[in-house]
Every structure is written in structure tokens, then in C-alpha cells.
Amino acid sequence: MGLVYPPTCAGCGAATADAGAFCPACWSGLRLIEEPLCDRLGIAFAVDLGIGRLTSPQAFAQPPVFARARAVALYDDVARGLVHRLKYEDRHDLARPMARMMAGAGRDLIAQADCIVPVPLHRWRLWRRRFNQAALLARPLADGAGLPFLPHALIRQRATRSQVGLSRAGRAENLSGAFHVPPAEAHRLAGLRVLLVDDVRTTGATANAAARALLRGGAASVDLLTFALVGEPIG
């Protein structure tokens, strides 16, 4: 098959040596999030203070519902292109290489997780899109880690308007009560450490709402792993 369909860059489609790899231009354009990080929010610090685990002012000012978050890259240029191709161009083949990178960025979270749950879409949006991009990323993560994949443990019970253009407070209000653990699924989560998976984290409103529902549904704790993060390093 490789002779007929040569491997191409996951980012731009240029020829590469290995399937799912990145060409040098896309790899150098991917703004990876690396240590030192805020232990709660996974935001990179611009300067390494050399004093162990750090918590950002943002995490102190607005503590998230989830315990910890990690992401592969900042949502800029290459990362945005990957997410958009996966989400809007039906490039399901990108999910596996993106999940491999997420496994590296979230190795500590995965090592302590009991199960993996994708952030769900409302049934009408799922019907229109035909797939949930978070589930496409979560399944190979679960397979690779040997963890239970629980796509039905959390549902989006209320359709919400687009988050684009809303303030932080508006996003939180828009998502209030949107997620729910079905009673029939609660036993699967009871006392478990859940790794919640999504494609992008913006303000964290979606992750907070989903984590709150999981905790109310019986989960012991919730960590968050996304491919991309909107924001800049802490100066």
C-alpha cells in the first residue's frame, strides 16, 4: 500500500518517510507545551524557576473543577490546522498520530487513570457531524494504555449555543447543566479516576462542566487531556 499511497505529513500532506509523521516545517511550527508547567492547568511557564511543582496565578484565582490538565501544543497555526482537519474535513486518520502525541504529553495523567471518557457532543450535533472528534482521540489513547474506554458514561443532555465570542462567564453559564452521567452508567464510574479527553481547551468552561457532572456521577477525580490549548506561556 505504501507504494501506491506514499506516507504524507499529518500536518500539510507533504511526502514523509513514515505514515503519520510530520514534515520538518510542520514539526518546527508546532508550539509544543513543555516543562515547567502549572501542575493544575498545564500552562507552560516562560522561565524555569527550578523550585519543583508550580501552580500558576490563574489556577489560584480560578481553581478548575478538574484536578490537572495537560495538552500537546498551543492552539496556533499547525495545531489549529490539525484540529480543523480532524473536526471539519473528516480526516479521521489524523486521530491516531494526534493521540500518540497526547499520550506523551499526558503520560503522568494516563498512568494514574482508571478509565478514559471523551467529552460528548449533543445527539443532534453528533447526528449532523456523524462523529465525535473527542471520541476519535480518546479511543486510541485507551487502547494504547489498556484502559476502559467509556464513551457513554457522560452525555450532553442539553444543546448549547456556540461558545465562540462568549466571555468566560458566558461560556460557563452556557454550559451549566449541559452534562449528565446516566443512572445506568453511574456504576461504571463509581470511585474511579477519570481521564477526560477533548480536542481543544479554551477557557476550560466545557471541561469544568463535564468534570463537575462526572464527580456528581460518582467519579473519585477527573483529569483533563487535550491536543491543543488556547493561550500563551506564563511570563
Side-chain angles (χ1 to χ4, degrees), residues 4-210:
V4 179
Y5 300 106
T8 58
C9 171
C12 67
T16 57
D18 301 304
F22 290 89
C23 69
C26 285
W27 181 254
S28 62
L30 198 61
R31 297 179 62 190
L32 299 175
I33 300 172
E34 299 175 322
E35 297 282 355
L37 304 172
C38 167
D39 193 52
R40 291 295 306 276
L41 296 177
I43 306 169
F45 286 90
V47 178
D48 188 351
L49 301 177
I51 55 175
R53 288 189 174 185
L54 301 169
T55 302
S56 65
Q58 293 94 318
F60 279 119
Q62 296 178 315
V65 177
F66 50 84
R68 298 170 296 171
R70 297 292 183 269
V72 173
L74 295 178
Y75 190 60
D76 187 25
D77 299 331
V78 176
R80 182 185 294 110
L82 284 168
V83 169
H84 277 228
R85 280 190 285 277
L86 172 68
K87 198 169 181 176
Y88 302 118
E89 298 178 15
D90 291 352
R91 287 292 307 275
H92 298 188
D93 57 299
L94 296 178
R96 198 160 291 276
M98 290 169 71
R100 282 200 297 269
M101 298 180 73
M102 291 169 70
R107 64 175 66 87
D108 292 342
L109 306 190
I110 292 171
Q112 297 176 32
D114 296 315
C115 64
I116 293 182
V117 175
V119 171
L121 295 177
H122 186 265
R123 63 183 182 276
W124 292 118
R125 183 166 294 180
L126 181 60
W127 180 79
R128 288 195 299 270
R129 189 175 291 169
R130 306 185 311 281
F131 65 90
N132 176 6
Q133 70 279 357
L136 291 179
L137 296 169
R139 184 182 290 277
L141 278 169
D143 290 345
L147 292 171
F149 172 59
L150 305 180
H152 306 297
L154 184 68
I155 63 171
R156 200 162 189 149
Q157 63 183 355
R158 182 171 62 78
T160 55
R161 59 175 291 197
S162 171
Q163 296 280 81
V164 176
L166 296 181
S167 66
R168 178 181 293 271
R171 286 171 179 260
E173 182 179 357
N174 186 41
L175 288 160
S176 178
F179 297 101
H180 175 65
V181 173
E185 297 288 329
H187 71 283
R188 300 180 185 273
L189 294 176
L192 297 187
R193 297 168 296 184
V194 175
L195 180 61
L196 183 66
V197 171
D198 206 356
D199 54 348
V200 180
R201 180 173 118 234
T202 306
T203 65
T206 298
N208 278 331

